[in-house]
Amino acid sequence: MGESAASAQRRERVLIVGLGGLGCPASLALAQAGVRRFTFVDPDRVEVTNLHRQPWFRTADVGQAKVQAAASRLLAAFPDARVETLEDRVDAGNAEQRVGSHDFTIDGTDSIAAKFLLSDAAVLTGRMVVYGGVLRMEGQLMVLRPQGPCLRCLFDQPGEDDVPSCAQAGVLGSVAGVVGGLQAQAALHFLAHPRTGPEELLGVFDAQRLVQRQVRVRRAADCPGCGADARLRLTDPEMARC
């Protein structure tokens, strides 16, 4: 990376929504690559069951706010970084402001509703969000651009009860680490080269066969998320939890 690109990268502000199995490795990889301005958003506290897939945390951190524990570790490793911490949720009342005030957003949430909310916010704010998801031995990621396609072009929004949680289905820490690292790489690419990159592609990582494939996504003409009637479609703040 050239000196000017590296210098610009240090000024970019990255929002990490969810300091879990995706947000932890993504923020670590971004900091290692030179990003120095972060906002961490997560309402949760560290639990013992988090430790196998959330590399910022140690046993001594159990019970602490995730945003505080992660920020402390990042700042210990990179003292010149700046980290704003919000022990809070991203919801329909604040999503546009939070996404819109950052150069790029990493979706590290484990809530289906929150993922669709961040997708809507990408369209409405003109900022890019990199979606990520992990279930069992498979991971997905996609850069959501303001002009679409968005998550609503790709999926019908299921209810939270229709998708098993990490605790129910199980997540291998190494799979989450790979997907979080890929999310960071996508952010780094677009921060350095905002007008280039893989458009309209969903990346799928199959950890069982150690292969990655790409699926082309077409923008739906009547999409409620990035079509003519685009708006935030979640109104219940409790639905959009990190």
Side-chain angles (χ1 to χ4, degrees), residues 5-126:
S7 177
Q9 188 167 287
R10 295 173 68 88
R11 297 193 301 269
E12 303 289 4
R13 296 187 65 203
V14 176
L15 175 66
I16 309 289
V17 184
L19 270 296
L22 298 176
C24 282
S27 57
L28 173 58
L30 288 168
Q32 290 172 326
V35 175
R36 288 295 180 269
R37 299 179 67 194
F38 296 92
T39 300
F40 289 171
V41 182
D42 196 310
D44 294 336
R45 294 181 174 269
V46 180
E47 299 178 4
V48 171
T49 55
N50 302 150
L51 302 181
H52 75 287
R53 67 184 186 279
Q54 299 177 16
W56 281 130
F57 308 131
R58 306 292 183 268
T59 303
D61 299 321
V62 171
Q64 293 186 37
K66 284 187 174 183
V67 292
Q68 297 296 339
S72 295
R73 287 265 154 64
L74 188 148
L75 291 170
F78 306 98
D80 59 335
R82 294 168 56 188
V83 185
E84 179 183 0
T85 60
L86 298 172
E87 193 177 347
D88 195 8
R89 304 179 189 277
V90 169
D91 58 39
N94 60 37
E96 285 186 80
Q97 186 277 326
R98 288 180 177 171
V99 172
S101 61
H102 292 77
D103 297 289
F104 206 96
T105 295
I106 299 289
D107 165 23
T109 68
D110 58 8
S111 162
I112 298 300
K115 293 182 182 302
F116 278 86
L117 179 67
L118 290 173
S119 176
D120 293 346
V123 175
L124 295 177
T125 62

Side-chain angles (χ1 to χ4, degrees), residues 167-196:
Q168 293 169 327
V171 173
L172 193 62
S174 57
V175 180
V178 168
V179 176
L182 290 172
Q183 287 182 285
Q185 180 57 37
L188 290 168
H189 178 91
F190 281 97
L191 290 172
H193 309 285
R195 300 185 185 278
T196 66

